[in-house]
Amino acid sequence: MNKFLLTSTIVAVAITTSATAYAYNQNYPTYGYYPYNQNDYNNQAYQEFNNNANQNLYKFSVGVDFVLGDVSYADNSFDVLSPLVASGLPEEYYSANSNNFDSSPNIVNINAGFRPFRYLGFELFYQQSLSNKEVKYQEHYSGDYRYSEGEYDIDYKTYGLDAIGFLPIFSRMDLLATIGVAQYDIDGNVKLTAYRNNSSNEWRSNSKSISDSKTALRYGAGFQIWLDSEKRTALRATYRFVDIGGDYVEDISEFAIGLRRYF
């Protein structure tokens, strides 16, 4: 009887041990006396990977860009009354042309972003050009102490929304593709000023203003490089093309470089 009980106990232990050993795999550890399910491990590993991949994904950002524009103007002429002609004499006009406006304006862009997904985000932006005054014309009459200068001034204001696609290619670098819609308000002014002897002694002036106000699509591509391991600060470079199709401005290419701070 004792032999039978001893034999039964040994057999039972052997069966239990063999069953446990069969389920054991060093890559899939067991918990207590229950075998670990490989599907449970795969699901857990995927979840951990997903959590790790998104643990540094900050959703909100603010940024600033310096933008160098390349503007294509329409060949559009308009007349400005010359200030050199004295009262009572036949009027004379200076033929101004939109091509004389600055074609490489410097622009500042400020923006705020929201990135709800790893591969897609959005940015609201506002752009304002810096001073772009240029003297393109001078005129004087022989033997006359008066002379006239033509000053071209162009001003850009832009605001809108960009959708941005992110494609991580290295641990600290993403490729970017953008498409957006923006309102472009472009105001130009040509001012002819007559001076006596020198530019500090203004006599009189005439001016002519032009404007283009268009809602346009803009397309772009670029990249960003993370400057820290937490992925909170990024250096970004982007090229965008905008088809304005206005009376004076045909299209604009924008080359932007700036910083983003995520939180």
Side-chain angles (χ1 to χ4, degrees), residues 80-123:
V80 183
L81 181 64
S82 173
L84 286 176
V85 180
S87 300
L89 296 178
E91 294 180 341
E92 293 184 10
Y93 289 87
Y94 164 68
S95 181
N97 192 287
S98 54
N99 279 320
N100 287 329
F101 287 106
D102 184 11
S103 61
S104 301
N106 297 322
I107 303 167
V108 174
N109 172 304
I110 56 175
N111 53 75
F114 175 55
R115 187 176 175 182
F117 309 107
R118 186 164 188 81
Y119 300 103
L120 178 64
F122 304 92
E123 274 189 357

Side-chain angles (χ1 to χ4, degrees), residues 26-100:
Q26 62 178 355
N27 295 318
Y28 310 106
T30 59
Y31 292 89
Y33 295 102
Y34 298 95
Y36 195 88
N37 188 300
Q38 182 173 345
N39 291 330
D40 291 339
Y41 176 82
N42 289 338
N43 291 336
Q44 182 182 355
Y46 173 79
Q47 191 64 40
E48 289 178 356
F49 171 79
N50 212 30
N51 291 338
N52 291 334
N54 289 281
Q55 65 180 354
N56 291 330
L57 181 59
Y58 296 94
K59 291 188 175 182
F60 299 96
S61 68
V62 291
V64 60
D65 291 336
F66 174 76
V67 184
L68 178 61
D70 183 14
V71 183
S72 294
Y73 291 101
D75 188 8
N76 200 332
S77 298
F78 48 95
D79 292 332
V80 183
L81 181 64
S82 173
L84 286 176
V85 180
S87 300
L89 296 178
E91 294 180 341
E92 293 184 10
Y93 289 87
Y94 164 68
S95 181
N97 192 287
S98 54
N99 279 320
N100 287 329

Side-chain angles (χ1 to χ4, degrees), residues 143-157:
D144 197 332
Y145 61 89
R146 297 169 301 167
Y147 71 97
S148 178
E149 285 186 348
E151 186 179 70
Y152 285 75
D153 185 19
I154 194 77
D155 180 69
Y156 295 83
K157 292 183 178 69

Side-chain angles (χ1 to χ4, degrees), residues 94 166-167:
Y94 164 68
F166 297 85
L167 180 61

Side-chain angles (χ1 to χ4, degrees), residues 183-194:
Q183 176 67 28
Y184 280 77
D185 295 327
I186 304 169
D187 297 308
N189 185 73
V190 179
K191 182 181 179 182
L192 296 186
T193 304

